[in-house]
Short mmCIF file of all heavy atoms in Angstrom, two decimals:
data_model
loop_
_atom_site.label_atom_id
_atom_site.label_comp_id
_atom_site.label_asym_id
_atom_site.label_seq_id
_atom_site.Cartn_x
_atom_site.Cartn_y
_atom_site.Cartn_z
N GLU A 162 14.39 10.36 -1.62
CA GLU A 162 14.28 10.42 -0.16
C GLU A 162 12.99 9.78 0.34
O GLU A 162 12.89 9.37 1.50
CB GLU A 162 14.36 11.88 0.31
CG GLU A 162 15.72 12.51 0.10
CD GLU A 162 15.77 13.94 0.55
OE1 GLU A 162 14.69 14.49 0.88
OE2 GLU A 162 16.86 14.53 0.60
N ASN A 163 11.98 9.70 -0.52
CA ASN A 163 10.68 9.17 -0.12
C ASN A 163 10.41 7.75 -0.62
O ASN A 163 9.27 7.29 -0.58
CB ASN A 163 9.56 10.09 -0.60
CG ASN A 163 9.54 11.41 0.15
OD1 ASN A 163 10.26 11.58 1.12
ND2 ASN A 163 8.72 12.34 -0.30
N GLY A 164 11.45 7.07 -1.08
CA GLY A 164 11.28 5.69 -1.50
C GLY A 164 11.92 5.40 -2.84
O GLY A 164 12.47 6.29 -3.50
N ILE A 165 11.88 4.13 -3.24
CA ILE A 165 12.35 3.76 -4.57
C ILE A 165 11.13 3.53 -5.46
O ILE A 165 10.07 3.10 -4.99
CB ILE A 165 13.25 2.51 -4.56
CG1 ILE A 165 12.48 1.26 -4.06
CG2 ILE A 165 14.50 2.75 -3.71
CD1 ILE A 165 13.27 -0.03 -4.22
N PHE A 166 11.30 3.83 -6.75
CA PHE A 166 10.18 3.80 -7.68
C PHE A 166 10.62 3.09 -8.96
O PHE A 166 11.77 3.17 -9.36
CB PHE A 166 9.71 5.22 -8.00
CG PHE A 166 9.23 5.97 -6.79
CD1 PHE A 166 10.13 6.61 -5.94
CD2 PHE A 166 7.89 6.00 -6.46
CE1 PHE A 166 9.70 7.27 -4.81
CE2 PHE A 166 7.45 6.66 -5.33
CZ PHE A 166 8.35 7.29 -4.50
N GLY A 167 9.66 2.41 -9.59
CA GLY A 167 10.00 1.69 -10.81
C GLY A 167 8.77 1.14 -11.47
O GLY A 167 7.64 1.60 -11.23
N GLU A 168 8.96 0.11 -12.30
CA GLU A 168 7.87 -0.46 -13.08
C GLU A 168 7.86 -1.97 -12.92
O GLU A 168 8.89 -2.63 -13.03
CB GLU A 168 8.01 -0.09 -14.56
CG GLU A 168 6.83 -0.50 -15.41
CD GLU A 168 6.86 0.15 -16.79
OE1 GLU A 168 7.67 1.06 -16.99
OE2 GLU A 168 6.07 -0.28 -17.64
N ILE A 169 6.68 -2.51 -12.64
CA ILE A 169 6.50 -3.95 -12.51
C ILE A 169 6.49 -4.58 -13.91
O ILE A 169 5.85 -4.06 -14.82
CB ILE A 169 5.19 -4.28 -11.77
CG1 ILE A 169 5.27 -3.82 -10.31
CG2 ILE A 169 4.87 -5.76 -11.85
CD1 ILE A 169 6.26 -4.59 -9.48
N THR A 170 7.18 -5.70 -14.07
CA THR A 170 7.23 -6.36 -15.38
C THR A 170 6.07 -7.33 -15.57
O THR A 170 5.70 -7.65 -16.70
CB THR A 170 8.56 -7.10 -15.55
OG1 THR A 170 8.77 -7.96 -14.43
CG2 THR A 170 9.72 -6.12 -15.62
N ASP A 171 5.48 -7.81 -14.46
CA ASP A 171 4.35 -8.72 -14.56
C ASP A 171 3.35 -8.41 -13.45
O ASP A 171 3.46 -8.89 -12.33
CB ASP A 171 4.82 -10.17 -14.45
CG ASP A 171 3.67 -11.17 -14.59
OD1 ASP A 171 2.56 -10.75 -14.96
OD2 ASP A 171 3.90 -12.37 -14.33
N ALA A 172 2.37 -7.59 -13.78
CA ALA A 172 1.39 -7.15 -12.78
C ALA A 172 0.43 -8.27 -12.39
O ALA A 172 -0.30 -8.14 -11.40
CB ALA A 172 0.60 -5.96 -13.31
N ASN A 173 0.43 -9.38 -13.11
CA ASN A 173 -0.49 -10.48 -12.80
C ASN A 173 -0.12 -11.21 -11.52
O ASN A 173 -0.91 -12.03 -11.03
CB ASN A 173 -0.52 -11.47 -13.97
CG ASN A 173 -1.16 -10.88 -15.21
OD1 ASN A 173 -2.11 -10.12 -15.13
ND2 ASN A 173 -0.61 -11.22 -16.38
N ILE A 174 1.06 -10.94 -10.97
CA ILE A 174 1.47 -11.63 -9.75
C ILE A 174 0.76 -11.04 -8.52
O ILE A 174 0.85 -11.60 -7.43
CB ILE A 174 2.99 -11.55 -9.54
CG1 ILE A 174 3.44 -10.09 -9.38
CG2 ILE A 174 3.73 -12.21 -10.68
CD1 ILE A 174 4.91 -9.95 -9.08
N ILE A 175 0.06 -9.92 -8.69
CA ILE A 175 -0.60 -9.25 -7.57
C ILE A 175 -2.09 -9.59 -7.57
O ILE A 175 -2.77 -9.40 -8.58
CB ILE A 175 -0.42 -7.72 -7.67
CG1 ILE A 175 1.06 -7.38 -7.78
CG2 ILE A 175 -1.03 -7.02 -6.47
CD1 ILE A 175 1.33 -5.95 -8.10
N ASN A 176 -2.59 -10.10 -6.44
CA ASN A 176 -4.00 -10.47 -6.37
C ASN A 176 -4.78 -9.60 -5.39
O ASN A 176 -5.83 -9.99 -4.89
CB ASN A 176 -4.14 -11.94 -5.98
CG ASN A 176 -3.51 -12.26 -4.63
OD1 ASN A 176 -3.00 -11.36 -3.96
ND2 ASN A 176 -3.53 -13.52 -4.25
N LYS A 177 -4.25 -8.40 -5.08
CA LYS A 177 -4.93 -7.48 -4.18
C LYS A 177 -5.80 -6.50 -4.97
O LYS A 177 -5.52 -6.23 -6.15
CB LYS A 177 -3.90 -6.71 -3.34
CG LYS A 177 -2.95 -7.59 -2.52
CD LYS A 177 -3.67 -8.37 -1.46
CE LYS A 177 -2.71 -9.17 -0.61
NZ LYS A 177 -3.39 -9.97 0.42
N GLU A 178 -6.81 -5.97 -4.30
CA GLU A 178 -7.74 -5.05 -4.95
C GLU A 178 -7.27 -3.60 -4.81
O GLU A 178 -6.67 -3.24 -3.79
CB GLU A 178 -9.13 -5.18 -4.34
CG GLU A 178 -9.81 -6.51 -4.62
CD GLU A 178 -10.06 -6.74 -6.10
OE1 GLU A 178 -10.44 -5.77 -6.79
OE2 GLU A 178 -9.85 -7.88 -6.56
N PRO A 179 -7.56 -2.76 -5.83
CA PRO A 179 -7.22 -1.33 -5.72
C PRO A 179 -7.98 -0.67 -4.57
O PRO A 179 -9.04 -1.13 -4.16
CB PRO A 179 -7.66 -0.76 -7.07
CG PRO A 179 -7.73 -1.93 -8.00
CD PRO A 179 -8.13 -3.09 -7.14
N MET A 180 -7.42 0.41 -4.08
CA MET A 180 -8.00 1.13 -2.95
C MET A 180 -7.77 2.62 -3.14
O MET A 180 -6.72 3.03 -3.65
CB MET A 180 -7.33 0.65 -1.65
CG MET A 180 -7.84 1.30 -0.39
SD MET A 180 -6.95 0.64 1.08
CE MET A 180 -7.56 -1.05 1.11
N LYS A 181 -8.74 3.43 -2.74
CA LYS A 181 -8.54 4.88 -2.80
C LYS A 181 -7.50 5.30 -1.77
O LYS A 181 -7.33 4.65 -0.74
CB LYS A 181 -9.86 5.62 -2.55
CG LYS A 181 -10.80 5.58 -3.74
CD LYS A 181 -11.99 6.50 -3.52
CE LYS A 181 -12.88 6.52 -4.77
NZ LYS A 181 -14.02 7.47 -4.62
N ILE A 182 -6.84 6.43 -2.04
CA ILE A 182 -5.88 6.97 -1.08
C ILE A 182 -6.53 8.13 -0.33
O ILE A 182 -7.54 8.69 -0.78
CB ILE A 182 -4.58 7.43 -1.77
CG1 ILE A 182 -4.83 8.72 -2.56
CG2 ILE A 182 -4.00 6.36 -2.65
CD1 ILE A 182 -3.55 9.40 -2.99
N ALA A 183 -5.95 8.46 0.81
CA ALA A 183 -6.41 9.62 1.59
C ALA A 183 -5.25 10.56 1.80
O ALA A 183 -4.14 10.13 2.12
CB ALA A 183 -6.98 9.18 2.93
N LEU A 184 -5.47 11.85 1.58
CA LEU A 184 -4.45 12.85 1.84
C LEU A 184 -4.24 13.01 3.34
O LEU A 184 -5.07 12.59 4.15
CB LEU A 184 -4.83 14.19 1.21
CG LEU A 184 -4.95 14.21 -0.32
CD1 LEU A 184 -5.28 15.62 -0.79
CD2 LEU A 184 -3.68 13.72 -1.00
N GLN A 185 -3.15 13.66 3.71
CA GLN A 185 -2.76 13.73 5.11
C GLN A 185 -3.78 14.42 6.00
O GLN A 185 -3.85 14.14 7.20
CB GLN A 185 -1.40 14.41 5.25
CG GLN A 185 -1.32 15.80 4.64
CD GLN A 185 0.08 16.37 4.78
OE1 GLN A 185 0.45 16.83 5.85
NE2 GLN A 185 0.84 16.35 3.71
N ASP A 186 -4.60 15.32 5.45
CA ASP A 186 -5.59 15.99 6.29
C ASP A 186 -6.73 15.05 6.71
O ASP A 186 -7.51 15.39 7.60
CB ASP A 186 -6.15 17.24 5.58
CG ASP A 186 -6.88 16.90 4.29
OD1 ASP A 186 -6.45 15.96 3.60
OD2 ASP A 186 -7.88 17.57 3.98
N LYS A 187 -6.80 13.87 6.09
CA LYS A 187 -7.80 12.88 6.47
C LYS A 187 -7.25 11.86 7.47
O LYS A 187 -8.01 11.08 8.05
CB LYS A 187 -8.32 12.14 5.23
CG LYS A 187 -8.96 13.04 4.18
CD LYS A 187 -10.20 13.73 4.71
CE LYS A 187 -10.87 14.55 3.60
NZ LYS A 187 -12.05 15.29 4.12
N VAL A 188 -5.93 11.85 7.64
CA VAL A 188 -5.31 10.90 8.57
C VAL A 188 -5.56 11.37 10.00
O VAL A 188 -5.43 12.56 10.31
CB VAL A 188 -3.79 10.79 8.29
CG1 VAL A 188 -3.13 9.83 9.27
CG2 VAL A 188 -3.55 10.34 6.85
N HIS A 189 -5.89 10.45 10.88
CA HIS A 189 -6.21 10.84 12.26
C HIS A 189 -5.68 9.80 13.23
O HIS A 189 -5.39 8.65 12.87
CB HIS A 189 -7.72 11.01 12.43
CG HIS A 189 -8.51 9.76 12.10
ND1 HIS A 189 -8.74 8.76 13.02
CD2 HIS A 189 -9.10 9.35 10.93
CE1 HIS A 189 -9.45 7.79 12.46
NE2 HIS A 189 -9.68 8.13 11.19
N GLU A 190 -5.58 10.20 14.48
CA GLU A 190 -5.20 9.26 15.52
C GLU A 190 -6.28 8.18 15.66
O GLU A 190 -7.46 8.46 15.49
CB GLU A 190 -5.04 9.99 16.85
CG GLU A 190 -3.91 11.00 16.87
CD GLU A 190 -3.83 11.74 18.19
OE1 GLU A 190 -4.64 11.43 19.09
OE2 GLU A 190 -2.98 12.64 18.32
N GLY A 191 -5.83 6.98 15.95
CA GLY A 191 -6.80 5.90 16.11
C GLY A 191 -6.36 4.62 15.43
O GLY A 191 -5.24 4.52 14.92
N PRO A 192 -7.24 3.61 15.41
CA PRO A 192 -6.90 2.30 14.84
C PRO A 192 -6.60 2.38 13.34
O PRO A 192 -7.17 3.20 12.62
CB PRO A 192 -8.15 1.47 15.11
CG PRO A 192 -8.88 2.17 16.20
CD PRO A 192 -8.58 3.63 16.00
N ALA A 193 -5.71 1.52 12.88
CA ALA A 193 -5.37 1.39 11.47
C ALA A 193 -4.80 -0.01 11.28
O ALA A 193 -4.76 -0.82 12.21
CB ALA A 193 -4.38 2.47 11.05
N LYS A 194 -4.34 -0.29 10.08
CA LYS A 194 -3.71 -1.58 9.79
C LYS A 194 -2.47 -1.36 8.94
O LYS A 194 -2.37 -0.36 8.22
CB LYS A 194 -4.69 -2.51 9.05
CG LYS A 194 -5.88 -2.95 9.88
CD LYS A 194 -6.78 -3.90 9.12
CE LYS A 194 -7.98 -4.33 9.96
NZ LYS A 194 -7.60 -5.13 11.15
N ILE A 195 -1.51 -2.27 9.04
CA ILE A 195 -0.40 -2.30 8.09
C ILE A 195 -0.46 -3.64 7.37
O ILE A 195 -0.88 -4.66 7.93
CB ILE A 195 0.98 -2.11 8.76
CG1 ILE A 195 1.28 -3.23 9.76
CG2 ILE A 195 1.07 -0.75 9.40
CD1 ILE A 195 2.73 -3.20 10.24
N ARG A 196 -0.08 -3.63 6.10
CA ARG A 196 -0.08 -4.84 5.28
C ARG A 196 1.37 -5.26 5.10
O ARG A 196 2.17 -4.55 4.50
CB ARG A 196 -0.75 -4.56 3.93
CG ARG A 196 -0.85 -5.77 3.02
CD ARG A 196 -1.80 -5.49 1.86
NE ARG A 196 -3.19 -5.39 2.34
CZ ARG A 196 -4.21 -5.06 1.56
NH1 ARG A 196 -4.01 -4.77 0.28
NH2 ARG A 196 -5.44 -4.98 2.06
N SER A 197 1.71 -6.44 5.64
CA SER A 197 3.11 -6.87 5.67
C SER A 197 3.25 -8.34 5.32
O SER A 197 2.29 -9.12 5.40
CB SER A 197 3.73 -6.62 7.05
OG SER A 197 3.85 -5.24 7.32
N ASN A 198 4.47 -8.70 4.96
CA ASN A 198 4.85 -10.06 4.59
C ASN A 198 6.00 -10.48 5.52
O ASN A 198 7.15 -10.18 5.24
CB ASN A 198 5.26 -10.07 3.12
CG ASN A 198 5.84 -11.37 2.64
OD1 ASN A 198 6.50 -11.39 1.62
ND2 ASN A 198 5.60 -12.47 3.33
N VAL A 199 5.65 -11.13 6.64
CA VAL A 199 6.68 -11.49 7.62
C VAL A 199 6.80 -13.00 7.81
O VAL A 199 7.58 -13.46 8.64
CB VAL A 199 6.40 -10.82 8.98
CG1 VAL A 199 6.40 -9.30 8.84
CG2 VAL A 199 5.09 -11.31 9.59
N ASP A 200 6.02 -13.77 7.05
CA ASP A 200 6.04 -15.23 7.20
C ASP A 200 5.92 -15.87 5.82
O ASP A 200 4.85 -15.85 5.21
CB ASP A 200 4.89 -15.67 8.10
CG ASP A 200 4.94 -17.16 8.43
OD1 ASP A 200 5.92 -17.82 8.06
OD2 ASP A 200 3.99 -17.65 9.07
N LYS A 201 7.03 -16.40 5.32
CA LYS A 201 7.09 -17.05 4.01
C LYS A 201 6.51 -16.13 2.93
O LYS A 201 6.98 -15.02 2.74
CB LYS A 201 6.38 -18.40 4.06
CG LYS A 201 7.03 -19.38 5.04
CD LYS A 201 6.32 -20.72 5.05
CE LYS A 201 7.00 -21.66 6.05
NZ LYS A 201 6.31 -22.97 6.12
#
C-alpha cells in the first residue's frame, strides 16, 4: 500500500548523493522541494 520495493541491479547509474531522512515529527509547513524527472 505504501509503494513498490525491490533491488537495483546496477547502482552505478545513480549519481545523486545520500541524504539523511527526517521522521514525520520534524516535517513542518513551509517551503520544500520535490525531485522529479519530467523532461527527457
Side-chain angles (χ1 to χ4, degrees):
E162 292 179 351
N163 290 352
I165 63 171
F166 299 83
E168 187 167 349
I169 293 293
T170 52
D171 182 10
N173 293 322
I174 62 176
I175 305 171
N176 60 2
K177 303 295 183 181
E178 292 297 320
M180 180 181 292
K181 285 189 176 183
I182 72 167
L184 297 182
Q185 56 182 283
D186 63 325
K187 300 297 184 183
V188 179
H189 59 86
E190 295 177 2
K194 293 182 180 295
I195 62 170
R196 182 167 291 175
S197 293
N198 173 199
V199 300
D200 187 6
K201 298 181 180 178

